[in-house]
Amino acid sequence: MTPLVSRLSRLWAIMRKPRAAVGSGHRKQAASQEGRQKHAKNNSQAKPSACDGMIAECPGAPAGLARQPEEVVLQASVSSYHLFRDVAEVTAFRGSLLSWYDQEKRDLPWRRRAEDEMDLDRRAYAVWVSEVMLQQTQVATVINYYTGWMQEVNQLWAGLGYYSRGRRLQEGARKVVEELGGHMPRTAETLQQLLPGVGRYTAGAIASIAFGQATGVVDGNVARVLCRVRAIGADPSSTLVSQQLWGLAQQLVDPARPGDFNQAAMELGATVCTPQRPLCSQCPVESLCRARQRVEQEQLLASGSLSGSPDVEECAPNTGQCHLCLPPSEPWDQTLGVVNFPRKASRKPPREESSATCVLEQPGALGAQILLVQRPNSGLLAGLWEFPSVTWEPSEQLQRKALLQELQRWAGPLPATHLRHLGEVVHTFSHIKLTYQVYGLALEGQTPVTTVPPGARWLTQEEFHTAAVSTAMKKVFRVYQGQQPGTCMGSKRSQVSSPCSRKKPRMGQQVLDNFFRSHISTDAHSLNSAAQ
């Protein structure tokens, strides 16, 4: 029998092994760990579950992931080399990771709330807010925003990006209050089923951290850790690899401390097992890491110290039949080391789009007012407020005509001769590089517009600072401010170009620069209710 056939036979045996026996073994090993009982006293809210590493066999897996006949073929193309195959190895991984976490975890505000809050619903909400904010945003950026949010400074959300997250969080919270009697769902399955915007990861994080449910989670950090620990080189975003990673996470999660374990795995990926230049010597599970073993093996082969067949376990080499190995088109790169795992799929560059936007200003009783209109509730920057904008037109004449029509739709008849082109702003979102042609129109000597259609608001410049506007609109506003008589406030740092050529900034520029340089406005508690 060939090595590959032998491995696949063992894998098939693992897949068919009765779940009860596997789960029982995991729980017995975990229960024997010293000091764990004190962490398990609050875990009665949800029943722990175990998994043998294959997500399709996990009870409670989301609908659609149950084993289908064709999936047997896919699973058979995965070598057991990439899995955890015995309870001792799983127990060692849990113990090492949690011991490291207890010593090295960062002191973060949402962790303190989760530990100190006795009310389970409040605890779950605190975790929920943090997990939503942390989606595709770095921890250092989130800390101040999280503190502000928990103090009910809702408008601060705008600077985080991915703006629809805030709207979905509000919708979910409203549903908890109005339809669920003020009580959060207690399991990952019901959280995902009942709360809008709560996906598989967020549901698992809330359920494990707030309610002690033994459910694994996979985010970008966890995926990277698992891929390196088990030498998974294939694209982790593919369906097959993603299912395997969720299966590994469910197999590894500690039933006695599921929330701590999941946070420890995320912490390891964020601080030690980083995308580039990982700190392998500081890794608590280095001895279990197949990526590290591969590096050592390759170093021995390169030095000539290892000849013939290496006495190191590896996946069936050069067969191209294992769907978790490095793709044949991207073989091992000696210069990358453990960073060979995982290999990322090539990312498409953001598509380029252009639009024209105009800052329309009129005098008001409390000072100059500017017009903002609200974006649709779906799509890019959903629900945020912006200056009136239109898509880019091929000629200046057509551009001005289209923009003036858009302005008149919100504010009535306007003098076309006062419309001035001020410069441009380039802002890159995750998938779009958007260039704004910035125009300005100041209404002087006219009767102020007092009524506007639904979806539009006149705000003072001070109110603009606390309104729910995007970073791109703040850049646009800087260009407009820079072109007011006697000022010059353009900034290369903000990717802004304008006709202004003054080099020495005035005091007004310094004040505005300081405002946009900070994460949170000093007058953040003065919310703009009109922009909600």
Side-chain angles (χ1 to χ4, degrees):
M1 180 179 293
T2 66
L4 174 61
V5 174
S6 176
R7 288 189 176 96
L8 294 180
S9 298
R10 292 199 304 270
L11 173 62
W12 182 246
I14 293 173
M15 292 164 58
R16 299 190 63 183
K17 191 171 183 178
R19 255 192 25 80
V22 176
S24 175
H26 288 179
R27 281 189 286 272
K28 288 179 180 178
Q29 291 288 340
S32 65
Q33 298 299 312
E34 181 178 0
R36 293 197 175 177
Q37 292 299 327
K38 65 179 180 180
H39 296 283
K41 62 181 180 180
N42 292 326
N43 289 354
S44 59
Q45 297 292 340
K47 181 183 290 186
S49 62
C51 177
D52 64 359
M54 314 307 291
I55 187 64
E57 294 192 11
C58 279
L65 289 183
R67 180 178 301 282
Q68 302 295 327
E70 62 269 22
E71 289 187 23
V72 175
V73 178
L74 291 177
Q75 298 289 3
S77 61
V78 172
S79 169
S80 61
Y81 167 78
H82 301 287
L83 308 178
F84 285 88
R85 291 170 295 190
D86 59 66
V87 173
E89 196 173 29
V90 170
T91 302
F93 186 95
R94 290 172 178 168
S96 298
L97 184 59
L98 284 168
S99 295
W100 169 83
Y101 180 71
D102 290 338
Q103 295 294 322
E104 303 294 336
K105 66 179 177 181
R106 291 172 290 180
D107 181 22
L108 300 174
W110 46 89
R111 287 179 178 165
R112 293 196 299 270
R113 285 181 178 270
E115 292 173 357
D116 300 338
E117 178 58 63
M118 299 304 297
D119 185 295
L120 291 181
D121 294 304
R122 290 180 178 271
R123 183 193 306 173
Y125 179 76
V127 175
W128 185 11
V129 171
S130 69
E131 291 300 337
V132 174
M133 283 190 173
L134 286 165
Q135 292 168 14
Q136 303 188 45
T137 308
Q138 293 182 350
V139 167
T141 303
V142 168
I143 291 175
N144 286 337
Y145 285 100
Y146 180 83
T147 302
W149 179 283
M150 299 308 288
Q151 294 172 351
E152 299 182 1
V153 188
N154 298 351
Q155 296 290 0
L156 294 180
W157 185 277
L160 274 174
Y162 296 90
Y163 306 98
S164 61
R165 292 180 296 172
R167 178 171 50 83
R168 291 197 301 266
L169 179 58
Q170 185 184 44
E171 292 172 357
R174 183 179 294 115
K175 184 171 183 178
V176 170
V177 172
E178 297 177 357
E179 300 180 26
L180 303 179
H183 297 296
M184 293 279 290
R186 293 304 198 250
T187 67
E189 294 75 25
T190 54
L191 283 162
Q192 188 174 354
Q193 178 184 5
L194 296 178
L195 298 185
V198 173
R200 189 177 185 183
Y201 163 78
T202 304
I206 297 172
S208 62
I209 298 171
F211 302 127
Q213 183 186 8
T215 182
V217 299
V218 177
D219 70 345
N221 285 318
V222 175
R224 184 169 56 258
V225 168
L226 294 178
C227 283
R228 288 176 180 169
V229 169
R230 294 293 92 175
I232 297 174
D235 178 10
S237 66
S238 69
T239 301
L240 175 63
V241 178
S242 177
Q243 288 186 5
Q244 292 296 327
L245 293 177
W246 278 94
L248 287 172
Q250 185 62 41
Q251 180 189 18
L252 291 171
V253 65
D254 192 304
R257 298 177 61 187
D260 284 345
F261 179 89
N262 287 334
Q263 291 183 90
M266 291 184 274
E267 188 90 332
L268 184 65
T271 62
V272 175
C273 194
T274 53
Q276 304 296 330
R277 295 181 292 277
L279 307 174
C280 293
S281 62
Q282 300 179 24
C283 180
V285 293
E286 182 184 15
S287 63
L288 299 170
C289 181
R290 295 205 185 283
R292 189 63 185 165
Q293 294 168 10
R294 176 71 183 270
V295 169
E296 295 171 353
Q297 172 188 330
E298 293 291 340
Q299 290 173 345
L300 290 173
L301 286 171
S303 66
S305 302
L306 192 63
S307 59
S309 237
D311 187 21
V312 178
E313 184 183 6
E314 56 185 328
C315 189
N318 304 320
T319 63
Q321 296 183 23
C322 176
H323 289 270
L324 297 185
C325 281
L326 290 168
S329 59
E330 300 181 49
W332 174 267
D333 185 338
Q334 187 72 29
T335 64
L336 294 178
V338 298
V339 181
N340 276 282
F341 306 101
R343 292 289 180 85
K344 293 184 178 179
S346 58
R347 186 176 182 179
K348 295 181 180 179
R351 70 176 186 270
E352 297 192 8
E353 295 184 1
S354 298
S355 68
T357 187
C358 181
V359 180
L360 178 62
E361 180 182 304
Q362 70 172 5
L366 299 178
Q369 294 179 316
I370 51 180
L371 180 68
L372 292 182
V373 298
Q374 191 169 30
R375 292 185 60 83
N377 287 327
S378 61
L380 183 67
L381 306 177
L384 287 190
W385 295 78
E386 66 178 7
F387 301 115
S389 304
V390 295
T391 57
W392 179 82
E393 295 290 347
S395 74
E396 176 72 11
Q397 183 179 2
L398 290 175
Q399 188 71 85
R400 287 176 172 273
K401 181 180 179 180
L403 189 55
L404 189 62
Q405 288 177 344
E406 176 67 10
L407 292 169
Q408 291 175 340
R409 184 165 76 91
W410 299 104
L414 298 171
T417 56
H418 291 182
L419 188 62
R420 298 184 300 128
H421 181 255
L422 305 178
E424 70 176 31
V425 164
V426 178
H427 189 80
T428 302
F429 302 92
S430 59
H431 59 293
I432 299 174
K433 182 180 181 180
L434 189 52
T435 299
Y436 295 91
Q437 296 298 330
V438 182
Y439 289 78
L441 199 165
L443 302 180
E444 298 177 357
Q446 292 186 207
T447 303
V449 179
T450 56
T451 60
V452 289
R457 295 286 189 273
W458 286 100
L459 303 178
T460 67
Q461 295 184 11
E462 288 73 23
E463 290 171 332
F464 170 82
H465 294 332
T466 55
V469 297
S470 68
T471 302
M473 288 298 104
K474 293 178 181 179
K475 292 180 180 180
V476 168
F477 186 64
R478 293 183 67 181
V479 170
Y480 177 77
Q481 286 289 89
Q483 295 308 300
Q484 294 300 91
T487 64
C488 173
M489 303 169 66
S491 170
K492 292 182 180 179
R493 181 169 43 81
S494 297
Q495 299 185 40
V496 171
S497 64
S498 72
C500 186
S501 60
R502 292 176 183 259
K503 293 184 178 180
K504 185 176 180 180
R506 296 198 175 192
M507 182 62 67
Q509 176 183 355
Q510 297 174 10
V511 172
L512 197 61
D513 281 348
N514 289 335
F515 169 79
F516 283 110
R517 191 176 295 121
S518 63
H519 288 302
I520 299 179
S521 169
T522 55
D523 61 346
H525 289 274
S526 177
L527 299 181
N528 170 30
S529 59
Q532 290 180 346

